[in-house]
Amino acid sequence: LFGKQDRGLVAAARQRYTSVDFLTQRRVAENVYQVLFDYWSWISLRGNVAATERSVGEARRFEAIAKQKKSFGLFEDTDVLAARANRLQMENQLADAIRERENSRGRLLKGLNFAETVAIESGEAVPLEGTGPAREAALATALERRADFRAAASEVETRRIEVSLAKNRKWPELDLLASLQLNGVNPGYQDALSEMVQGQHPAYFFGTEFKWNIENR
């Protein structure tokens, strides 16, 4: 009725565009979240390396003290071996921490689309978790702002419009038709083109077209 099908198709296309837009926002947010996660992981692992380095220094100092006390007869060989084993263990932990830090840094550079040679530095530490909103309010806000949820809602609205259009197509359709054709009827090619542009031989057509859908055929 008065172009309802055409308007409905435009509305459905607009809803699909909105759905794709929300999904794009969701993908962008996921990428941003991953980069932020890699960033704070890198900060945390960097702090872990610093703490492990201090532990290695203490282990080396303890080993040196154990050797000195052994020379004075205060420590046994087993005490020195235990101090050495502790130092080796801490050095292995430091190597693992450095490897994890570098792997995290590589993931961060990849997420930022930076080259491996780019130097990145930051003096920030991992922030302490503050008091947030209540769980119910946080979940309500999260659902309201989730782009994939809103995209699904937009897709549902698209389906609703399509169902309405499908029901509308069951009704009979009556269209008004009209056309205007300019004919160049002169046998000469150049004269025919000139007459076609000038509209000296117009042909008009007016009419109606009636359609009726036969269901269950």
Side-chain angles (χ1 to χ4, degrees), residues 8 14 19 30 34 38 59 65 77 81 85 111 114 135 138 156 160 180 185 194 203:
R14 185 178 291 111
S19 175
E30 289 175 349
Q34 186 61 46
D38 292 337
I65 293 175
D77 291 338
L81 292 176
F114 286 168
R135 176 175 299 181
V156 169
R160 188 192 66 79
L180 169 63
V185 295
S194 174

Side-chain angles (χ1 to χ4, degrees), residues 62-75 80:
F62 179 72
E63 183 183 9
I65 293 175
K67 290 179 180 179
Q68 186 179 11
K69 287 189 175 184
K70 179 181 178 297
S71 64
F72 295 150
L74 300 176
F75 270 15
V80 176

